[in-house]
Amino acid sequence: MSFFELALGNILSPVVLFFMLGVGAALARSDLSVPEAVAKTLALFLMMSIGLKGGVEVAKQGMSAMLVWTIVAGAALSFLLPIIAYALLRATTGLDAVNAAAVSAHYGSISAVTLAAGIDVLSRVGLVAEGYMVAVAAVMETPAIICALLLARRAAPKAAGASTAELVREASLNGSVIALVGSFFIGWIVGPDGLKPVAPLFIDLFRGVLCIFLLDMGLVAGRGLARAGKHLDMRLLAFGIAMPLISGAIAAFIAAAIGLSVGGTMIFITLAASASYIAAPAAMRIALPEAEPAIYLTLSLGVTFPFNLTLGLPLYLMAAQYLRG
Amino acid sequence: MSFFELALGNILSPVVLFFMLGVGAALARSDLSVPEAVAKTLALFLMMSIGLKGGVEVAKQGMSAMLVWTIVAGAALSFLLPIIAYALLRATTGLDAVNAAAVSAHYGSISAVTLAAGIDVLSRVGLVAEGYMVAVAAVMETPAIICALLLARRAAPKAAGASTAELVREASLNGSVIALVGSFFIGWIVGPDGLKPVAPLFIDLFRGVLCIFLLDMGLVAGRGLARAGKHLDMRLLAFGIAMPLISGAIAAFIAAAIGLSVGGTMIFITLAASASYIAAPAAMRIALPEAEPAIYLTLSLGVTFPFNLTLGLPLYLMAAQYLRG
Amino acid sequence: MSFFELALGNILSPVVLFFMLGVGAALARSDLSVPEAVAKTLALFLMMSIGLKGGVEVAKQGMSAMLVWTIVAGAALSFLLPIIAYALLRATTGLDAVNAAAVSAHYGSISAVTLAAGIDVLSRVGLVAEGYMVAVAAVMETPAIICALLLARRAAPKAAGASTAELVREASLNGSVIALVGSFFIGWIVGPDGLKPVAPLFIDLFRGVLCIFLLDMGLVAGRGLARAGKHLDMRLLAFGIAMPLISGAIAAFIAAAIGLSVGGTMIFITLAASASYIAAPAAMRIALPEAEPAIYLTLSLGVTFPFNLTLGLPLYLMAAQYLRG
Amino acid sequence: MQTFAKKRLEIVIEHPARKGLATILDAQKVTGYSVLPVIAGSGKYGPWDEAGQVTSAEGMVMFICIVDPTHIDRVIEAVYPFIQLRKAIMTVSDVQVVRGERF
Amino acid sequence: MQTFAKKRLEIVIEHPARKGLATILDAQKVTGYSVLPVIAGSGKYGPWDEAGQVTSAEGMVMFICIVDPTHIDRVIEAVYPFIQLRKAIMTVSDVQVVRGERF
Amino acid sequence: MQTFAKKRLEIVIEHPARKGLATILDAQKVTGYSVLPVIAGSGKYGPWDEAGQVTSAEGMVMFICIVDPTHIDRVIEAVYPFIQLRKAIMTVSDVQVVRGERF
Ligand SMILES: Nc1ncnc2c1ncn2[C@@H]1O[C@H](COP(=O)(O)O)[C@@H](O)[C@H]1O
Ligand SMILES: Nc1ncnc2c1ncn2[C@@H]1O[C@H](COP(=O)(O)O)[C@@H](O)[C@H]1O
Ligand SMILES: Nc1ncnc2c1ncn2[C@@H]1O[C@H](COP(=O)(O)O)[C@@H](O)[C@H]1O
Ligand code: NA
Ligand code: NA
Ligand code: NA
């Protein structure tokens, strides 16, 4: 399949179309919305579903030594990416040190919904990733936040609003990480047979729920975009598209070096390329209160997320197929 | 099947029984309730489900020229019905001009949940409507609101709290219209194959979700009825039952003239006979703040909705079968 | 199967594992949470699901005279247990009369989620209970609350914040009782054929929803346990485990005397052994405002519920099999 | 614009006592009140949070009631015995309104 | 710590009028406002409760707006005609703030 | 009925800073506080609305804390440096309470 066919197939999937509906509704200033309590629950559901599936996969395939390498590589990558992002931001955009550090935390950390969409893209071409990629995702959430805080401290010693220890605690006990990792272990323990009675909820409804959640993400991204003019200039916009490509390229080579499957490679690239929009913003409000949320949220949710969802994911799949197919 | 059998079968369906449970619980002053955030989401779900199914139906059947006629007829009917309702209210009840105009907006506009219940009744006898009836429903939401505002302006030039342009914008960007129309187009684009992976959520759960939503509607209708004595007299109650029959009769003849199928005719009658309880009340609070919500909401939710749900729908089905069968 | 195998199979089921995940997350002070509106809806869903299944079961099996006996026995037991609990609390713990009465209400009344988990345990070994056990559960909710209020009035005549009549009304119109009983009758009316179209929601998703709900219960129980030190001493802890065993033993003999099936016996024991955490706390805040919620909630949710869920349920199943198998 | 002095009664009270308090206020013929949700708090028994509850039995709500100064004493005296038994705090403050005859 | 006297405007208004009120406040160039949910209440037409509604069209919200005393009259005069037509109550009270220049 | 003069501290602050503010108030040994949700607002950066968010990281909450007048300065001084860095507004007003010894 050519990239064009892949991208078109992706864009015309219900999941992406509902995202676009959300963006359109927001730009037209419709009052369409998904209540916050429900959006939070759908996010929790997606984490539980991904976690369970990953755990059951590991129960079926057995544990592999590669798990350790992938986790180490993921953690290192998550710590490394903010440095690249920070340098790029400082060199090419006018962003001050504190805001640049805050943005860089988002790009090193991961977006679980981008992961969910990536799994959906994989399943549409009949592929799966290594089950333990779920654990890798969880591990990649925090190091970037620490790294960004260190960067900010070096540049603006007074900016920090919280200690590193506090922050590590906060970030690694983040509800969505716990739900993901917990469900992963539960899936691993109960295995395929234990999954069966809960499969009608956690497996069969996954894609439908993803549609509703992405409708909501579209609404939020659209509302962010409507205000983007105020906070983003062309250089920041360019960063929001260039950075996932850079992260993805680095991840692709690491995945190849480790020897991940096509599915695993695609997911590893996706994780690196995705920008956090839950864990990182919350951590930044605590750790770097002076950084402006409108900048990092608009960039992550309004630029990088839509790019990944529409064009990024098929691209990462092609890259994975090319490298590992 | 006789009307009696149809009506009994309808009343003994889980959907209607849960509605009655809600009414009973409310009248007994139980604290049973469905949280507002969840009720909103269930409504959104029903819109998405109806929209998707309609769109997929159109993808299967192809577009027909009749669509244009049905949409034009629907819009005209929605604009016409408030005039009839207003005249009837002024002639037979003591309602003042502003309140009569506000009530008439509700009867011209449509209730999406009545539509959902109508689709459910159809499916129980193995029928479907033309897929584009979803688009017709969306188009019928707004004209009635405009017409009612014009009526109020003529009678009480100072009553208006908003301009017509503002109101058209507001009403046609209403979240539930956007969800319905958006899902319709998504269903059309993805077709039957694209629907399959999201069908466990959007198709299989439709009826169960309708039960929970109608339980909530029953609670609200019951609470409204408990206060109805204060706001409604016999003449208003009679209006709440006569008006859907009048609207339905007019719609029946239009549907026959256009040449809709049995299912399509039944749905067209249902749309005309249904009274709005989301879009119209919100628009009236903005456009005619002096009108008393207790009147129009009690009438629409406490009288017309229960009538349609229990006796109206089987009647409309029989009429459709008689006219077009 | 030995008790050890049964208990292990139970503890390693997804339902219990998610509960433990919740407890762990709470003890680690994660911010993981299920929004209150959603938790309430999941509870409502579980009631509807249990009620419907019970009603359909009765529609299939037909009504039996034993129903009357079981209901009478259930009501009597619910009224009796608080007296035992109160005496035990006063004799073995330092609790004052008002708090002892408040706690005893919880142990006489029932926990619908423990019932749901009990049904889940039964279904895992391929058993079902008599359908009317649902009605028995509903009947057992209130008498304990009345009895506890009478106990408190005798001991501290000024403690009562509400009249008995008020309280009976309040407790028997409690939303979850209405949902349970209403759905039971709906299930009975519509029978197996009427259930089919709503089964994808109310039957197939039951266990998955139970997982999410128990995750939330685990979070709450864990947060309660974290504060337990302040409010509970060893004697109260011992009560929280001894009391369900006493209640369960009494219930077991009654069930045998009535002649319930293995499944029915197991459920009757479970109902008696379970401690209320919704109806009773709300009633106690109204009727005995001086009683300290931290005591009765921590005991019921933090001690007895986890005990029943992990060890109690398999034990009750074994007892039922031994007595009635 | 001319304004009139009124009293603003603010009561934070546990959720299950909501109906009872409303009944008392109604009996005092106040012209109305508004109820706001409270999602967390801290008091004698330490902090609590809506997220840590399966039931709203433990939660709290806030009543706000604008009362004419001539009635405030009567209202407070009616409310006081009810809230005294319960987890509740009550404050009174001075406010100005434009439509004086409304309260 | 030095404090500055400001006015606190509190408006309880029906949900559908939310956008309209915000537009008026913005036009008065207030430095900001906060909106809180109202879940129940009582007034001329008796009690209402969020739980008894399928739509938020009937619900209410509370605006809180800290305004400099020199602007309060202007703001009230701008808001008054809008809320007069609607279910709404408005009160003004005195408050102290630390960052005086902020409002 | 006899009443006692107290101070009412009202702080609107961003959601992620909730825990931090609670810690500071606890350290000041206030007798308690209540937290209310804020669903929308407007400030320096224009309007925001709960509906436009996937995460509560951007949302706000309102703290209300009744404090004895003898402690208010100390509490404000402890809170001020924390909220100064953040999106927050703080006001103090006079209230009367019945149970004076409670605060
Ligand atoms: N000083 C205070 N200021 C504001 N709210 C308070 C205060 N003290 C107590 N509360 C509220 O009242 C509830 C019960 O307090 P207590 O009776 O001390 O346990 C707390 O959880 C808070 O929500
Ligand atoms: N005296 C009052 N104090 C506080 N809130 C009030 C008062 N009167 C009315 N309200 C609120 O304003 C709404 C509309 O009141 P009304 O215009 O009297 O129907 C009520 O539902 C309450 O939420
Ligand atoms: N004058 C004001 N009155 C009430 N709330 C305000 C005011 N100014 C700001 N706020 C609240 O504080 C938040 C942050 O304001 P700002 O720091 O100006 O962006 C706003 O979103 C409002 O919720
Ligand atoms: Na990343
Ligand atoms: Na209509
Ligand atoms: Na019990």
Side-chain angles (χ1 to χ4, degrees), chain D residues 38-96:
Chain D
V38 177
I39 52 172
S42 183
K44 266 198 294 296
Y45 300 97
W48 64 272
D49 195 311
E50 192 190 53
Q53 311 183 306
V54 238
T55 142
S56 53
E58 298 156 275
M60 306 200 85
V61 293
M62 176 188 280
F63 278 70
I64 289 170
C65 182
I66 310 300
V67 182
D68 195 80
T70 56
H71 300 318
I72 187 74
D73 276 349
R74 181 171 46 80
V75 174
I76 291 180
E77 261 155 49
V79 168
Y80 186 64
F82 183 78
I83 69 163
Q84 196 186 6
L85 280 174
R86 291 181 162 79
K87 297 205 171 159
I89 60 164
M90 174 167 73
T91 62
V92 182
S93 63
D94 292 310
V95 294
Q96 302 286 320

Side-chain angles (χ1 to χ4, degrees), chain A residues 135-163:
Chain A
V136 176
V139 160
M140 288 177 74
E141 195 137 22
T142 314
I145 292 171
I146 311 304
C147 174
L149 187 60
L150 297 178
L151 287 170
R153 285 238 175 95
R154 232 189 35 138
K158 287 183 181 167
S163 73

Side-chain angles (χ1 to χ4, degrees), chain C residues 72-164:
Chain C
V72 170
L77 188 60
S78 167
F79 196 90
L80 174 75
L81 290 176
I83 300 174
I84 301 177
Y86 180 82
L88 196 62
L89 282 164
R90 296 290 282 164
T92 66
T93 73
L95 228 51
D96 61 283
V98 171
N99 275 308
V103 170
S104 74
H106 292 68
Y107 283 82
S109 186
I110 63 128
S111 147
V113 175
T114 313
L115 169 62
I119 291 174
D120 189 47
V121 167
L122 272 188
S123 78
R124 248 182 281 131
V125 295
L127 291 172
V128 285
E130 284 81 355
Y132 56 72
M133 290 312 293
V134 167
V136 177
V139 160
M140 289 178 73
E141 194 137 22
T142 314
I145 292 170
I146 311 304
C147 175
L149 186 59
L150 297 177
L151 288 170
R153 284 237 177 95
R154 231 189 36 136
K158 287 183 181 165
S163 73
T164 315

Side-chain angles (χ1 to χ4, degrees), chain C residues 220-243:
Chain C
V220 176
R223 286 188 184 119
L225 278 179
R227 291 178 304 208
K230 273 193 227 156
H231 306 291
L232 303 186
D233 56 14
M234 283 312 292
R235 295 169 305 169
L236 277 171
L237 282 175
F239 172 84
I241 288 169
M243 189 63 213

Side-chain angles (χ1 to χ4, degrees), chain C residues 33 36 40 170 213 216-217 220 223 227 277 282 285-286 289-290 292 297 301, chain D residues 14 16 19 45-48 50-58 85-87:
Chain C
S33 74
E36 203 198 346
K40 270 190 186 168
E170 196 76 29
F213 193 77
D216 188 40
M217 292 278 294
V220 176
R223 286 188 184 119
R227 291 178 304 208
Y277 66 90
R285 286 320 291 153
I286 294 172
E290 281 171 34
E292 175 47 43
L297 277 170
L301 261 175
Chain D
E14 37 184 6
K19 242 194 235 173
Y45 300 97
W48 64 272
E50 192 190 53
Q53 311 183 306
V54 238
T55 142
S56 53
E58 298 156 275
L85 280 174
R86 291 181 162 79
K87 297 205 171 159

